[in-house]
Amino acid sequence: MPLASGGVTSAPRPSSLADVLDLILDKGLVVDAYVRVSALGIEVLTIDARVVIASVDTYLHYAEAVNRLDLSHTEVRGIHGMAQDVKESGAKGEVRGAIEGGKEALGLDDGDGDGDGEKRRVGASRRRGGDSS
Amino acid sequence: MVPVTHGGLAAVVSQAPGPHVRPSRLNVRAHESVVHALHELGPALPVSFGTVLPDVDSVLAELLVPMAGDLERRLEDLDGKDEFRLKARYLPGVNLREAVERNGRIARLRARLAAHPLGGNHADKLALGQLVFNELQGIRASDAQAALDAATDYASQWRLLDERSDDVALYVALLVPRDRRSQLESALSSLADIEHTRMRFELTGPLAPWDFVDVPVGAKLWASSKGL
């Protein structure tokens, strides 16, 4: 359970599957020619770590992000802001559903329904979308 | 799970389910857990997930015997140290807001595009995006340096980690001697206090040294100059 103290959140261990993968994937001692990870699974699990964004897309992404930035000093988003949020979260729901379907098809989902891996993908798509509010 | 031993070294191995290791949730978590448990007992070098050797004899012949000297040296260097991972993040929208505030051209171009009935032309959007991107890089670089300066005083080694999120200023792995841990936490706490309106800091650990299985000569010199 992470603790917050003086602005620093501490966690003793990685908690979600995404955090564990982030820690151990492509790390540790490599004994030449003996790493035998089933390649197909790895591709899906690391898909958002391996995405490369072309520079034009990157710039458009930032233009969009700064365009949507709410520069007023009030916390109240207003009706327009709220409608935008609802529209965006609906779209993300579709992407999330598609990725989970892919995982199950590849036999990677152990069906324990603990939601491992979801947080990272939704978080990643939110961050790439530039709307971190 | 059995140890295969050679001199003062032991490789902890288990029967592989097959020629390949599926990166399932179970396998991945199990691998990390075993390494963590061993690390708590004493210096341990994590081996890469999915490493499968044909038999116990090859563990000796391919790993322990030929690499004995190297492995012993690495374990010695890792003794009494833990990995910590530090992530410094911006609060939502903070760095974008700062980019606009710091750069008048961004503010003006943004306003011009927003005023255009169709959102502006493509070239202007690209220009705006590029200005923002560069400004964010500048903001990130100075915040990353401040966090790195605070943390690396207490680390005998460190390694930058890949993190492409817009809101992350720094993601770094630190190898921290146990007797420096509380000083590290204290230094980060102070920095977090100063930055509390704009940033949050996350520290994970103590962990096994996943990012520090290699010990480059340069790091040893640097570490000894810091008395670490």
Side-chain angles (χ1 to χ4, degrees), chain A residues 5-43 45 48-53 55-73 103 106-118 120 123-124 126-133, chain B residues 19-29 31-33 36 45-54 58 62-63 67 71 74 83 85-87 89 91-97 100-101 106 110 113-114 122 124-126 128-130 132-134 136 140 161-168 171 185 188-190 192-193 199-208 210-211 213-214:
Chain A
S5 150
V8 182
T9 307
S10 300
R13 299 286 299 283
S15 46
S16 70
L17 178 65
D19 291 335
V20 175
L21 282 169
D22 190 35
L23 180 64
I24 80 171
L25 219 56
D26 291 336
K27 298 290 164 64
L29 192 67
V30 176
V31 187
D32 286 346
Y34 283 114
V35 180
R36 294 268 181 269
V37 181
S38 166
L40 186 60
I42 280 293
E43 259 176 47
L45 289 168
D48 53 355
R50 303 274 162 92
V51 169
V52 175
I53 305 170
S55 59
V56 166
D57 284 346
T58 303
Y59 294 154
L60 288 175
H61 156 81
Y62 285 113
E64 179 63 12
V66 82
N67 179 49
R68 292 192 314 195
L69 194 59
D70 179 8
L71 292 177
S72 65
H73 294 292
K103 278 196 297 189
L106 288 161
L108 290 169
D109 194 324
D110 61 8
D112 60 4
D114 63 358
D116 283 359
E118 284 178 21
R120 183 182 171 94
R126 187 183 298 127
R127 287 192 287 271
R128 277 202 287 279
D131 180 2
S132 47
S133 53
Chain B
H20 292 87
V21 181
R22 248 184 15 124
S24 65
R25 287 187 180 107
L26 217 58
N27 287 342
V28 166
R29 282 189 182 277
H31 188 71
E32 193 271 331
S33 294
H36 183 81
L45 266 174
V47 173
S48 204
F49 174 81
T51 301
V52 182
L53 278 78
S58 359
E62 307 282 348
L63 176 64
M67 293 185 67
L71 292 172
R74 291 178 184 188
E83 172 166 333
R85 284 180 159 211
L86 172 66
K87 192 175 277 195
R89 289 183 190 273
L91 293 177
V94 159
N95 53 341
L96 275 176
R97 221 178 302 263
V100 176
E101 285 163 13
I106 289 175
R110 178 183 178 273
L113 280 166
H122 190 72
D124 274 353
K125 278 185 191 162
L126 280 184
L128 174 62
Q130 188 168 14
V132 172
F133 179 78
N134 291 337
L136 287 177
R140 185 180 288 130
L161 300 170
D162 198 28
E163 179 57 68
R164 295 164 199 234
S165 315
D166 286 350
D167 68 337
V168 175
Y171 190 28
E185 287 168 338
L188 291 176
S189 210
S190 301
D193 282 345
M199 298 181 78
R200 286 290 179 266
F201 295 81
E202 297 162 14
L203 188 67
T204 308
L207 303 166
W210 290 95
D211 289 280
V213 293
D214 302 310

Side-chain angles (χ1 to χ4, degrees), chain B residues 155-176:
Chain B
S156 60
Q157 270 188 271
W158 55 271
R159 192 152 285 161
L160 290 177
L161 300 170
D162 198 28
E163 179 57 68
R164 295 164 199 234
S165 315
D166 286 350
D167 68 337
V168 175
L170 178 71
Y171 190 28
V172 64
L174 307 158
L175 189 64
V176 180

Side-chain angles (χ1 to χ4, degrees), chain B residues 9 26 32 37 39 51 54 56 64 72 77-78 85 97 103 111 127-128 146 151-152 161 199-200 221:
Chain B
L9 296 168
L26 217 58
E32 193 271 331
H39 171 73
T51 301
V56 167
L64 293 181
E72 272 156 12
D77 285 321
L78 293 170
R85 284 180 159 211
R97 221 178 302 263
N103 190 322
L128 174 62
T152 56
L161 300 170
M199 298 181 78
R200 286 290 179 266
L221 291 174

